[in-house]
């Protein structure tokens, strides 16, 4: 029982024959991910990386049984790619593209909401269930199978946390990089909820950053849910100057609750084990798991 993706997921790559799509798809295939093909309009009927290329996502669903898509489409066309995947019946859509215009994303977000599917991202590193499926751009070798789930706004900190967990002799069930944009398909709370309901996940790492309410919302939900599993939390951006966007488009302090300090306080009040440095994540997980 894994979350979002597993060895049985039938994955297609939108933007398959482009340079990004080609590079990351070959890494995913090498990892052992079940990539059943890709989509590049106008190149349908050809093959790429020994996999079929389809003109549309609908063709990939009908002919290859695709149920999961990863999107490496340039920003101007990425929102359309998301909507095309949702319309074609794809169940899990993972959008890696950074820099999708917010107006486009609002349209795509509202479209996806009306469909039976889940969008992860955009501007995210993807999702990995170690030793089963890597649907994203993360370095697969860092992740080993285990009982710790990761939810993170930051790609780099996802890898860092996974590396530390593995060095403590533990491993990962699924790591979900939710993305750092202001409008994303899956919130921190929704990702945490998936892992809370996953029987194999025994502990959750929740990595957030300044800006927005996602971590506070997740923390309040965790408390209301009865703190069923221990959660280790970290918030990046403590030293960021107020009012300035830091790296991610969503990482901007608006109100007083958006600061790292405020988020950490709310998380602690909700029973989350908050660490002040990312270097402490692995040790804290080991400690709370006994």
């Amino acid at each position: 029982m894994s979350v979002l993706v597993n060895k049985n997921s039938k994955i297609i790559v939108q933007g398959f024959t482009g340079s990004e799509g080609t590079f990351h798809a070959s890494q995913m295939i090498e990892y052992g991910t079940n990539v059943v093909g890709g989509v590049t309009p106008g190149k349908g009927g050809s093959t790429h990386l020994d996999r079929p290329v389809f003109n549309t996502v609908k063709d990939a669903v009908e002919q290859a049984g695709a149920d999961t898509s990863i999107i490496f489409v340039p920003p101007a066309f990425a929102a359309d790619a998301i909507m095309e995947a949702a319309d074609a019946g794809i169940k899990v859509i993972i959008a890696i593209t950074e820099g999708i215009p917010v107006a486009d994303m609002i349209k795509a977000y509202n479209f996806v909401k009306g469909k039976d599917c889940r969008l992860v991202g955009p501007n995210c590193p993807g999702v990995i269930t170690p030793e089963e499926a890597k649907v994203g751009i993360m370095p697969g070798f860092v992740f080993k199978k285990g009982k710790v789930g990761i939810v993170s706004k930051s790609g780099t900190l996802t890898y860092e946390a996974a590396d530390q967990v593995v060095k403590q002799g533990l491993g990962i069930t699924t790591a979900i990089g939710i993305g750092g944009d202001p409008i994303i398909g899956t919130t921190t709370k929704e990702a945490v909820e998936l892992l809370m309901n996953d029987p194999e996940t025994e502990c959750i790492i929740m990595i957030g950053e300044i800006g927005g309410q996602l971590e506070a919302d997740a923390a309040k939900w965790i408390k209301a849910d009865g703190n069923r599993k221990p959660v280790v939390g970290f918030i990046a951006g403590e030293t960021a100057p107020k009012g300035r966007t830091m790296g991610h488009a969503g990482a901007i302090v608006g109100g007083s609750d958006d600061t790292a300090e405020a988020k950490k306080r709310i998380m602690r009040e909700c029973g989350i084990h908050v660490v002040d440095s990312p270097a402490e994540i692995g040790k804290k997980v080991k400690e709370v798991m006994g």
Side-chain angles (χ1 to χ4, degrees), residues 46 81 103 120 133 166 222:
S46 62
V120 179
V166 169
I222 289 163

Side-chain angles (χ1 to χ4, degrees), residues 38-110:
V39 176
T40 300
K43 293 196 179 172
S46 62
T47 57
H48 183 60
L49 304 178
D50 296 328
R51 303 290 192 280
V53 182
F54 302 97
N55 282 323
T56 65
V57 178
K58 193 168 180 289
D59 290 348
V61 170
E62 286 171 359
Q63 295 170 41
D67 55 23
T68 303
S69 173
I70 181 165
I71 295 176
F72 292 105
V73 171
F77 313 105
D80 281 345
I82 291 169
M83 292 188 280
E84 185 194 348
D87 201 41
I90 293 282
K91 294 293 179 244
V92 178
I93 304 163
I94 297 170
I96 305 297
T97 309
E98 185 172 358
I100 300 177
V102 173
D104 290 5
M105 213 36 235
I106 290 169
K107 207 167 94 182
Y109 178 85
N110 288 326

Side-chain angles (χ1 to χ4, degrees), residues 235-258:
I235 301 290
E238 191 148 13
T239 55
K242 281 194 176 57
R244 190 178 302 170
T245 301
M246 305 298 291
H248 283 163
I252 182 164
V253 175
S256 56
D257 275 357
D258 289 4

Side-chain angles (χ1 to χ4, degrees), residues 149 151 188 192 195-196 202-207 218-219 221-223 225 227-234 267 270-275 284-285 288-289:
V151 175
T188 305
V192 166
L195 293 168
M196 277 288 178
E202 292 179 8
C203 174
I204 298 166
I205 296 170
M206 180 171 113
I207 299 171
W221 180 85
I222 289 163
K223 187 180 179 186
D225 186 53
N227 296 89
R228 277 186 288 150
K229 296 174 185 178
V231 179
V232 172
F234 173 70
M267 283 159 65
C270 293
I272 293 169
H273 305 272
V274 179
V275 294
K284 183 56 82 175
V285 168
V288 300
M289 286 182 77

